[in-house]
Amino acid sequence: MKSLDGLRFRKRKTPIHRLDPRVKFLLICAIFALSIIFVDLMSITIIFLALVPLVLLAQVQGEWLRSLRASALLAAFIFVLNLIFVSDLYYALAMAFRFLVIVSSFSIFFLTTSPDDLGLALEQSHFPYEFSFAFTTAIRFVPELAKEAQIIVDAQRSRGLELEGGNILKRIRNYIPILIPLIVSAIRRSMELAEAMESRCFGAVKMRTSLHALKIRSMDYLVILMIVLVLAGSIYIRFYIHLL
Amino acid sequence: MIETHDVYYTYPNGFEALKGVSLAIETGEFVAIMGENGAGKTTLIKHFNGLMKPTRGSVVVDGRDTKKVTVATLSRDVGLVFQNPDHQLFSETVEDEIAFGLRNFGFDDKTIERRVDWALNLLNISQYRTTSPFILSGGERKRVALSSVLSWDPKIVVLDEPTIGQDYLQKERLRQFIMQLNTQGKTVVIVTHDVEFVADCKPRVVLMSKGRLLADGSSEKILTDDKLLEEASIIPPQVAQLFWQLKFNNAGREIIDVYEAAEILAREIRERMN
C-alpha cells in the first residue's frame, strides 16, 4: 500500500500545481509520445533528465523517488527480458528507462493534480458527469481502502493468522481472510454511497454549474506552445533528418 | 498480567497517539478503558497482543516483552475483539468463522469441533451454525466475531466497544457474560463509551485523554467525579446526575448503581413520610 503513496496528491503552491490540469495532461501525453517515438538510449536519457527540473519545480522529489523505487523491480525485469530476447545492452537499457519515464510522468501528474481539479477538467472536457464523478470517487477512496485493509490485517492477525512464511500457494491463501472483508465492505460502502447520492438528488439536473471553473491562462498557453514546438521538432529530427 | 511501561506511540504520519502510558492490569481484573474519541484507547489495546509495538517504552504480557514474541503467540493468550465485526468475517458459515482461529493455533479436528460447539452455545448463536455470517444482523455479526475469539479460550479478553449496536436485552446478556468470564478468573478489558454499561458492571476504570492516563480507580470514584469526566468528554451516569441534582452530598456522592440508589431513595422517602 505504501507504493501508492508515490501517486497521492499533495497540496502545494508551485507553477506545476497551478498549471491547468488539461494542459498538464497534454504535457504528460507529450512526454509519453516522445518516449515512444525515440528508441535509442541517448534520447530517452535526455527525456528522463528533462523530467528532473519538472519534479524539482513541483517540489515532489521525495514522492517521485519513492515511485521510482517502487517501479525499479519491474524496470529491472524489462531490462533482463529485453537483454535476453534482443541481446542489445543499449536497447535493453533504453526500454527500462522508457518505462521509468512513463511511470515518472504519471507520478508527476497525479502528485500535482488534485482529484477535484481532475474531475472538473473531465467535466469541462464534456465527459458525462457520472463518469467524472466515478473517477474522482475512485481516487478518493484509495487511501480509505488502504486504511481499512490495515485494520482487517490487524483483526485477522489477532486471530492467529500469519501472513509470512509457507510456500507460494499458502501465501496466496493467507490473503483470502483479508481480501473478502475488504471487498465486501467496498461493495457495502458503494451501495451506501449510491443511496446517499440518490437521497440528495444525484442526476436531477443535466447541466451542473460549478463554483470554480478552470481557465486557461497565459502560462498555460506558453506551455502548450512549448509542447507543440518540442513535439514537432522531435518528430522532424526522428523521421526526416534521421539524425538518431 | 499486562504491564505497560511509559509507552509512547507515534503513527507513521507523525501523530503521537500515546504519550507515556504506564499501566498494570493484574490477572483476573476487570478493567474499562474510557475516554474521548482519539484519546488513544484503541491504540493502547493494540499493544496488548503486539499488533503495535511501542515507539518508546515497553509492554510486558505475562513476563514477555511484546517486542520479542509474535502476534500469533501473544494472541493465543490475549484475545482481541475488534469494534467492527465486518473487518474480520469472511467465512461461508458461522462455524467455519469460529473454527478459523482454532485452525490457526493448530488445534486438532476433534478439539476444534468441541470448541466450536462450545463457543456457539456461549453466545446463543447455535441456530446460525450453517448460516453465512454476512446475512446476519449487525448485533448477531458482533456476537459471531466475539465467539470466534473466545473459541480458543484466551486468558485475557480485550473487547473494543462491545455494546455498540446491541439492544438492551443483548447488552444485559453481554454484561452477565462478561461478569461470568471474569468470575472464571479471566482478565477482561473493555474499551467503551457506554457509561451506563460501565455503571452496571462496575469495573476498575482507566480514563484516558489525548494519549495520556487521566485517572485510574474504581468506577464509583471516577464516574462521580464531574471535573474528570468533563475533561475526558464523558457524560456522568444518570444515577450520579440525579444524586447531584438532589444534592445528596453526604449520602450519595459515589453512587452509580440503580439498585443502591433506589434503596437510598426509598429509605429517605420513608423517613420523610414518618
Side-chain angles (χ1 to χ4, degrees):
Chain A
M1 287 298 162
K2 280 230 172 65
S3 53
L4 285 173
D5 259 15
L7 289 175
R8 206 158 88 216
F9 172 66
R10 312 289 150 104
K11 204 173 181 133
R12 274 186 198 124
K13 278 200 171 126
T14 74
I16 305 288
H17 283 75
R18 263 199 297 272
L19 223 53
D20 187 283
R22 290 164 292 182
V23 175
K24 217 183 301 178
F25 189 66
L26 195 68
L27 178 65
I28 297 313
C29 288
I31 296 172
F32 197 92
L34 283 179
S35 68
I36 300 292
I37 291 173
F38 292 102
V39 279
D40 62 303
L41 182 59
M42 198 180 54
S43 325
I44 290 182
T45 312
I46 291 172
I47 299 168
F48 186 75
L49 290 177
L51 288 175
V52 176
L54 226 58
V55 169
L56 291 176
L57 198 62
Q59 294 173 17
V60 289
Q61 51 277 10
E63 292 87 352
W64 175 64
L65 282 176
R66 204 173 308 153
S67 72
L68 280 190
R69 212 165 37 222
S71 43
L73 191 72
L74 212 54
F77 185 65
I78 291 171
F79 172 74
V80 171
L81 224 57
N82 275 294
L83 199 60
I84 293 171
F85 289 105
V86 190
S87 46
D88 178 345
L89 180 68
Y90 292 110
Y91 181 78
L93 262 178
M95 289 305 108
F97 252 117
R98 174 188 279 175
F99 173 69
L100 290 181
V101 167
I102 293 170
V103 168
S104 303
S105 56
F106 273 101
S107 165
I108 293 170
F109 181 73
F110 283 106
L111 280 171
T112 60
T113 313
S114 84
D116 296 319
D117 277 356
L118 213 56
L120 219 53
L122 284 173
E123 247 179 281
Q124 291 191 10
S125 314
H126 303 288
F127 275 97
Y129 180 61
E130 286 84 353
F131 181 84
S132 70
F133 184 86
F135 188 74
T136 45
T137 312
I139 291 179
R140 201 165 294 156
F141 272 148
V142 169
E144 279 304 305
L145 218 60
K147 217 189 290 171
E148 194 149 14
Q150 187 56 52
I151 299 176
I152 294 170
V153 168
D154 281 352
Q156 306 300 37
R157 285 179 76 202
S158 300
R159 297 164 80 198
L161 178 70
E162 285 182 276
L163 290 172
E164 287 97 40
N167 56 28
I168 189 115
L169 225 81
K170 188 173 182 313
R171 273 172 191 238
I172 294 171
R173 234 193 16 234
N174 279 345
Y175 276 90
I176 293 174
I178 312 287
L179 286 174
I180 292 177
L182 196 62
I183 293 167
V184 168
S185 114
I187 293 172
R188 197 171 278 163
R189 192 198 313 242
S190 66
M191 301 278 207
E192 278 167 15
L193 183 69
E195 281 172 5
M197 280 161 60
E198 277 189 288
S199 59
R200 289 205 262 162
C201 302
F202 181 84
V205 266
K206 270 264 153 339
M207 278 295 292
R208 289 169 48 91
T209 48
S210 13
L211 186 57
H212 304 284
L214 295 173
K215 236 178 74 193
I216 306 238
R217 284 171 298 191
S218 46
M219 182 66 190
D220 296 312
Y221 284 118
L222 198 68
V223 173
I224 295 175
L225 186 70
M226 268 162 55
I227 292 171
V228 171
L229 285 180
V230 169
L231 259 185
S234 305
I235 291 171
Y236 185 68
I237 291 172
R238 174 77 176 82
F239 295 106
Y240 294 94
I241 302 189
H242 297 290
L243 241 169
L244 301 161
Chain B
M1 178 173 182
I2 303 172
E3 297 159 278
T4 74
H5 301 289
D6 202 25
V7 168
Y8 283 77
Y9 185 80
T10 310
Y11 278 94
N13 66 12
F15 176 69
E16 200 174 29
L18 297 178
K19 301 168 191 164
V21 174
S22 294
L23 182 71
I25 297 171
E26 303 287 336
T27 304
E29 252 195 308
F30 178 17
V31 179
I33 302 175
M34 304 183 79
E36 82 268 352
N37 290 336
K41 305 177 298 272
T42 301
T43 310
L44 180 63
I45 60 167
K46 280 187 179 171
H47 279 83
F48 292 171
N49 70 348
L51 280 174
M52 288 180 161
K53 316 282 185 195
T55 321
R56 236 168 74 203
S58 66
V59 177
V60 180
V61 177
D62 289 334
R64 292 168 299 184
D65 189 325
T66 59
K67 275 183 184 156
K68 293 184 185 121
V69 257
T70 64
V71 177
T73 315
L74 281 169
S75 296
R76 179 67 188 80
D77 292 330
V78 184
L80 187 59
V81 184
F82 279 56
Q83 191 178 126
N84 186 348
D86 296 339
H87 286 145
Q88 64 162 74
L89 302 180
F90 74 99
S91 302
E92 270 177 62
T93 62
V94 169
E95 61 181 342
D96 282 347
E97 193 68 57
I98 295 172
F100 176 69
L102 296 167
R103 286 203 190 98
N104 286 334
F105 290 122
F107 286 87
D108 59 80
D109 288 349
K110 251 213 165 84
T111 319
I112 290 178
E113 208 176 308
R114 198 161 42 78
R115 286 290 181 92
V116 168
D117 283 341
W118 175 78
L120 283 166
N121 269 325
L122 201 63
L123 280 139
N124 238 331
I125 43 174
S126 295
Q127 69 271 35
Y128 302 127
R129 176 186 276 275
T130 53
T131 314
S132 160
F134 293 107
I135 61 165
L136 298 178
S137 76
E140 286 160 351
R141 285 208 294 274
K142 195 134 180 140
R143 275 184 283 151
V144 173
L146 184 57
S147 75
S148 78
V149 170
L150 291 171
S151 62
W152 68 80
D153 202 23
K155 285 191 277 184
I156 302 168
V157 181
V158 185
L159 312 171
D160 196 353
E161 295 285 6
T163 60
I164 282 187
Q166 303 288 333
D167 62 23
Y168 178 71
L169 184 70
Q170 289 308 332
K171 238 194 234 187
E172 187 49 30
R173 278 212 189 126
L174 184 72
R175 188 180 73 83
Q176 281 165 11
F177 177 70
I178 289 176
M179 300 312 257
Q180 188 193 329
L181 282 179
N182 191 225
T183 23
Q184 284 165 1
K186 288 207 188 309
T187 311
V188 181
V189 180
I190 60 172
V191 164
T192 185
H193 278 115
D194 194 332
V195 184
E196 300 302 335
F197 186 72
V198 175
D200 283 343
C201 302
K202 289 196 271 186
R204 164 183 166 201
V205 174
V206 171
L207 211 55
M208 287 184 76
S209 178
K210 299 186 186 77
R212 289 196 175 83
L213 288 193
L214 204 60
D216 183 351
S218 73
S219 35
E220 285 93 342
K221 207 163 199 85
I222 290 184
L223 293 183
T224 53
D225 188 328
D226 48 346
K227 287 214 178 58
L228 268 181
L229 293 181
E230 203 184 311
E231 209 173 325
S233 303
I234 290 171
I235 306 175
Q238 293 193 346
V239 171
Q241 289 184 43
L242 179 71
F243 272 55
W244 286 334
Q245 303 240 330
L246 292 172
K247 301 207 165 43
F248 271 25
N249 290 330
N250 45 357
R253 272 306 280 186
E254 288 183 5
I255 303 292
I256 52 171
D257 186 271
V258 179
Y259 301 99
E260 212 177 325
E263 239 169 68
I264 292 172
L265 286 177
R267 206 186 310 135
E268 191 75 14
I269 291 168
R270 245 179 271 126
E271 271 171 29
R272 300 222 173 154
M273 293 223 300
N274 293 337

